[in-house]
Amino acid sequence: MSESTGRAGRVRAGFTDLKHIFGGGQSDVRQFGILFSLIAIIALFQWSTNGLTLSSGNLINLVSQYSYILILAIGMVMVIICGHIDLSVGSIAAFVGIVVAISMNSWHFPWPLAILFGVFVGVVIGAWQGFWVAYIGVPAFIVTLAGMLIFRGGNQVIGNANTVPVPPGFTTIGAGYLPEIGPNTGYNNLTLLLGLAIAVTVVLKEWRAIRVQVSMGSAHAPLWVSIVKVVLLDTVVLFATMLFAGGREGTSFPISGIILGVLVLAYSFITRNTIFGRHVYAVGGNRLAAELSGVKSRRVNFMVMLNMSVLSALAGMIFVARSVASGPQDGIGWELDAIAAVFIGGAAVSGGIGTVTGSIIGGLVMAVLNNGLQLEGVGADKVQIIKGMVLLIAVGVDVWNKSQGRPSIIGFLTRNRNAAAPAPAEPTRKVPRNDPPHPSRPLVPAP
Amino acid sequence: MPANHTILEMRSITKEFPGVKALSDVSMAVQAGHIHAICGENGAGKSTLMNVLSGVHPAGSYTGDIIFQGEHVQFKDIGSSEAAGIVIIHQELALIPELSITENIFLGNEPTKHGAIDWVTAKRRALELLARVGLEDNPDTQIKHIGVGKQQLVEIAKALSKSVKLLILDEPTAALNEADSQHLLDLIRGLKGKGISSIMISHKLNEIEQVADSITILRDGRTIETLNVKADGVNEDRIIRGMVGRSLESRFPDRTPHIGEVFFEVRNWNVQHPQAAERMVVKNSTITVRRGEIVGLAGLMGAGRTELAMSVFGRSYGNFISGQIFKDGEEIHLRNVSEAIEHGLAYVSEDRKALGLNLIDDIKRSIVSAKLSKISNGQVVSAPMEYELSEAYRKSLRIKTPSVDYGVRKLSGGNQQKVVLAKWMFSDPDLLILDEPTRGIDVGAKYEIYGIIQALAAQGKGVVMISSELPELLGLTDRIYTIFEGAITDCIPTDQADPEALMKSMTSAKKKVQST
């Protein structure tokens, strides 16, 4: 970038460095903007609820109340990267929930076996839907719309439209907390340990990333960026740790939050660092090019749909555990929350773009918004209107920015400064290119 | 002849696209009641000229005059040229498969009564028009249920419904079989008798010789000559000389070929069109490639070049019927693309943006995408290796970018093509099939890509190069196969090849295949 080294250039470079603090690369610029929106929303509610938002009780409640939506968002982002959509997740969650509840209640399955059984049912349902999408070629919208009806009905047929309770052991995955162990410190010791471990991991990971970058000789941000990043992140982690550990007696960091955390780490790794993850992006970005590069796109589509159903099964079980019973109205509208989280988190409707972390942040935006409005006593009717507007505006700003040739909210912020700079917008454009005016009929320039 | 016999005159038409002068001072005149052919190589400017005439390129975007029926005309879009009586029928038919013949004929031009479509009138007129073009199908038949030949006739019926005076046909017989072609040509001749003039663009010189009254030859965006078929005693050789009469300049890096043994062979290869089972797109074709050899595959558009290449590359096109592939003396079976890559094949598509690259990806991820296993430990991709290896390709191929983290969308055509080449070099192939590797690329980048191709051959890899530009094949290859209507028609060592002979093999089915 041969940007003129004026004030504008420096300002822009400063923003770029700032972006590195949150790992904002090329592909996840929007994540950066949405992260700031999340912080802004938290700050706003913290102020308007007089500190209730960031209280121990509320934070613990927030995690256990929204973990299943965030788990769905993990699977949904992969579906959406592949260029599909899954409308059936809420119904599948409800279906698996009732099957698992009945397996324990009527067939007397021990609860660990029941969980395995629930995952198995998720696999079977996923294979069913994946088969129609990947091998028959029915659009996922249709397949999962059908699934939405089929499994909602299935829930009500199997459960006789009744609520089925689940035994206490099972409820741990939805309503349990990290247990109390060790000396009485006034805090939950395990939560403290967990928080410390995360804080140390953040430092080690950054240290390793710097070493890799230096050894590769690739472009890396200055050292102060890393230090600021680590300090900021660790402050947040430790602050949250104290809040989670210092909750009411008997509560601490929720088990469902642990499950969510493990899944986020696992799926971030899968999407970023594995061959399968690459193939998901490749199929969504350009299926034909992917196939001509040896990617078996049908298998990728099948696996992504299957995975979504397994995660739906998990989310359903966690919800049932949390509410101590499975009912016919479970999971209604979840698909829409999950889809909204993914799009707020930066995914593209056309496929090929999106990240797991982005979707989690998008989901948190929705969760905090929901939670904060509830704390303020805003009715569910108005909450829906506000959530709808947030979704539309978040994606709208992004689309508009892209059409202006600015890829991100940062681009939007630096817009006026750049306009003042005399430097040409894109120097490379000056080189005449012989791109053919009609792709199908290239014109050969006379030698 | 009096001036009123000239129905159309185009004077000094010049049309520029950014960076390219597509037409330069082109003039031509069409006599009323004539069939006027336009000939030229791919990219000579034929289609651009017709797009200027039909208003696809509106008045003001070109310079020069168009005089139609004695009047200066300035068409601002296709609608206005059609209103004047000029109708263009494109190579890719513009019919809607799900609609019926009647609906297609009157699409955008529906007869109405009291504001509603008058289907009775429409169907009656459709029957009349179909009778004029000799089509006996029920006008309620959906377009997708009739063959390409009949679809062409529907296009002409549609043109007739607009009281056409000058019909422009762009490669009308390219997709048709012999019988359908003949019917179509007879029809055009019949229309001429009824006072409808035609302009016909065709690569099939025998057809032009058969039906045209006069021929304008374009080359590199200029009018070379206009021939009167009867008076000038025109034959195919005469037309070809006009089309290719261009000297080769030193546009290619120097190279001393080191050619080894035959290591790759495609034998008696037959492939069916993926939708139309009755059409064979590759017929009994055999090609061999030696180590270190650059083999050209010359054919006109639609001749089956890409179809042959892609069907060999893991059956990625059409329905495989029969044939064998041998590599290093052993028969191999390439049932899908990953098996083809596994066996050391690489295919660089002619359509870089649609089939070659994922445009929303960055450079490093694109380069490693065809063989992730090479930089992976089990299922886990190594980011440092990815960076290191893609960086190495960036340097050796001189991809102009600040970093391999950049998106490929931002690169110029030439640099994108280098990324595609890097992607396939990364897969360590023994045989590279390059389909129009220099399409849409400026001259400087072309030179670099030629250098890369030569370097690949020097490493002992076999290269099959498909190109529409004969000079490119003559300058770069060691041996050239010609393909016509899906069949290999000739195989000539490049040092014995001349453009006219090649063009002849590319435009007629000469059965003399020597697989040296």
Side-chain angles (χ1 to χ4, degrees), chain A residues 1 26 216 218 273-275 278 285-286 288-289 291-294 296 433-438 441-444, chain B residues 17-19 43 47 91 313 337-338 341 353-355 357-358 379-381 384 386-387 405 407 410 423-424 469:
Chain A
M1 284 278 178
Q26 278 242 308
M216 293 195 308
S218 80
N273 297 351
T274 66
I275 293 181
R278 290 296 175 89
N286 186 341
L288 296 174
E291 283 173 358
L292 276 180
S293 307
K296 295 186 171 103
R433 277 165 36 189
N434 290 343
D435 267 356
H438 292 288
R441 283 298 186 97
L443 293 151
V444 182
Chain B
F17 295 108
S47 291
Q91 197 174 352
F313 187 64
V337 173
S338 43
I341 294 173
K353 290 181 175 159
L355 301 176
L357 286 171
N358 175 2
Q379 279 290 306
V380 180
V381 180
E386 172 180 69
Y387 185 86
D405 295 326
K410 294 178 187 166
K423 165 177 164 179
W424 288 109
E469 289 180 65

Side-chain angles (χ1 to χ4, degrees), chain B residues 80-98:
Chain B
S80 51
S81 67
E82 283 186 352
I86 300 177
V87 177
I88 186 163
I89 297 177
H90 286 281
Q91 197 174 352
E92 298 87 19
L93 297 178
L95 298 173
I96 297 172
E98 300 294 331

Side-chain angles (χ1 to χ4, degrees), chain B residues 255 258 292-294 452-461 463:
Chain B
R255 161 175 177 250
H258 298 284
E293 187 182 34
I294 305 177
I452 294 167
I453 295 170
Q454 293 180 344
L456 286 168
Q459 291 166 22
K461 299 180 190 305
V463 176

Side-chain angles (χ1 to χ4, degrees), chain A residues 152-226:
Chain A
R152 174 62 56 196
N155 166 291
Q156 290 164 5
V157 167
I158 290 175
N160 238 335
N162 286 327
T163 298
V164 179
V166 292
F170 183 77
T171 58
T172 320
I173 62 165
Y177 302 98
L178 284 178
E180 293 285 356
I181 53 162
N184 188 354
T185 52
Y187 289 98
N188 180 279
N189 294 332
L190 268 184
T191 307
L192 288 181
L193 280 178
L194 181 70
L196 269 177
I198 292 173
V200 172
T201 312
V202 166
V203 177
L204 289 179
K205 239 191 123 212
E206 185 64 21
W207 173 243
R208 214 179 127 239
I210 292 175
R211 275 189 27 202
V212 168
Q213 279 177 337
V214 169
S215 73
M216 293 195 308
S218 80
H220 55 272
L223 191 63
W224 68 265
V225 170
S226 291

